């Protein structure tokens, strides 16, 4: 005799438990997404300011003292103090013994990277050497790839 389709199989007293598998893939995906987000959102640089007087803020760029200039020219790979090559440690020693009213004039030469100038400014500020004045190299010319127009942002061709 055939069983009717509406009959259910008999349940035994000991029903087999189903094992539930939990996949860790979505959890790992979420962890990596959070890791990438926090890495991109965090800042690994120490931001601080350096106080510098530009030559245009002073009347005609002249100093208020009669002392000879303390001109430090910054290049990519060397430092010049009054047109003679000097090391950073020697510059720091000489800058510490200068009169307090005598400003140090920093002049980046040619296409000196800004980071080289900032490194020198940081060292001088860390030693408490002030006042500092920043002037432009009179021989510097903008490269032919850089085009500056009046009332327009800087364009690089």
């Amino acid at each position: 005799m055939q069983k009717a389709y509406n009959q259910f199989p008999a349940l035994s007293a000991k029903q087999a438990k189903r094992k539930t598998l939990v996949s860790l893939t979505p959890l790992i995906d979420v962890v990596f997404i959070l890791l990438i987000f926090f890495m991109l959102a965090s800042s690994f640089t120490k931001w601080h300011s350096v106080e510098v007087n530009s030559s245009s803020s002073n009347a005609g760029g002249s100093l208020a003292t009669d002392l000879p200039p303390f001109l430090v020219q910054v290049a990519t790979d060397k430092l010049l103090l009054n047109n003679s090559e000097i090391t950073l440690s020697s510059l720091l020693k000489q800058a510490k013994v200068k009169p307090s009213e005598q400003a140090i004039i920093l002049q980046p030469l040619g296409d000196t990277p800004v980071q080289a100038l900032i490194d020198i400014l940081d060292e001088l500020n860390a030693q408490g050497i002030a006042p500092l004045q920043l002037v432009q190299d009179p021989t510097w010319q903008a490269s032919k790839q850089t085009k500056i127009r009046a009332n327009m942002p800087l364009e690089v061709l």
Side-chain angles (χ1 to χ4, degrees), residues 22-106:
V22 176
S23 175
L24 292 179
T25 304
L27 177 65
I28 293 171
D29 289 346
V30 168
V31 168
F32 278 125
I33 289 171
L34 287 173
L35 178 69
I36 291 170
F37 171 77
F38 286 120
M39 284 175 55
L40 293 175
S42 64
S43 175
F44 296 108
T45 6
K46 180 183 171 188
W47 294 100
H48 58 280
S49 63
V50 177
E51 188 174 324
V52 176
N53 297 324
S54 68
S55 60
S56 61
S57 66
N58 205 348
S62 62
L63 298 172
T65 181
D66 293 333
L67 296 172
F70 202 85
L71 178 65
V72 178
Q73 295 171 316
V74 181
T76 306
D77 55 348
K78 64 181 177 179
L79 287 174
L80 299 171
L81 176 62
N82 296 332
N83 294 325
S84 61
E85 196 165 333
I86 190 169
T87 63
L88 180 60
S89 59
S90 300
L91 172 67
L92 293 174
K93 287 177 187 173
Q94 289 187 19
K96 282 184 181 180
V97 296
K98 71 171 185 55
S100 60
E101 65 273 0
Q102 183 181 19
I104 296 179
I105 302 170
L106 292 171

Side-chain angles (χ1 to χ4, degrees), residues 6 14 18 30 47-48 50 58 97 100 104 106 119 121 124 128 134-135 143 145 147 149-152 155:
N6 60 358
K14 289 185 177 180
R18 254 188 171 174
V30 168
W47 294 100
H48 58 280
V50 177
N58 205 348
V97 296
S100 60
I104 296 179
L106 292 171
D119 291 341
L121 286 171
L124 292 170
L134 186 62
V135 295
S143 66
Q145 295 177 341
K147 193 179 208 180
R149 296 182 197 160
N151 300 327
M152 300 258 327
E155 293 178 10

Side-chain angles (χ1 to χ4, degrees), residues 90-142:
S90 300
L91 172 67
L92 293 174
K93 287 177 187 173
Q94 289 187 19
K96 282 184 181 180
V97 296
K98 71 171 185 55
S100 60
E101 65 273 0
Q102 183 181 19
I104 296 179
I105 302 170
L106 292 171
Q107 180 182 34
L109 294 176
D111 290 333
T112 303
V114 173
Q115 188 61 51
L117 182 65
I118 296 298
D119 291 341
I120 302 300
L121 286 171
D122 280 342
E123 287 293 326
L124 292 170
N125 277 334
Q127 300 294 326
I129 299 168
L132 299 173
Q133 188 175 16
L134 186 62
V135 295
Q136 181 180 351
D137 183 3
T139 62
W140 182 80
Q141 295 291 322

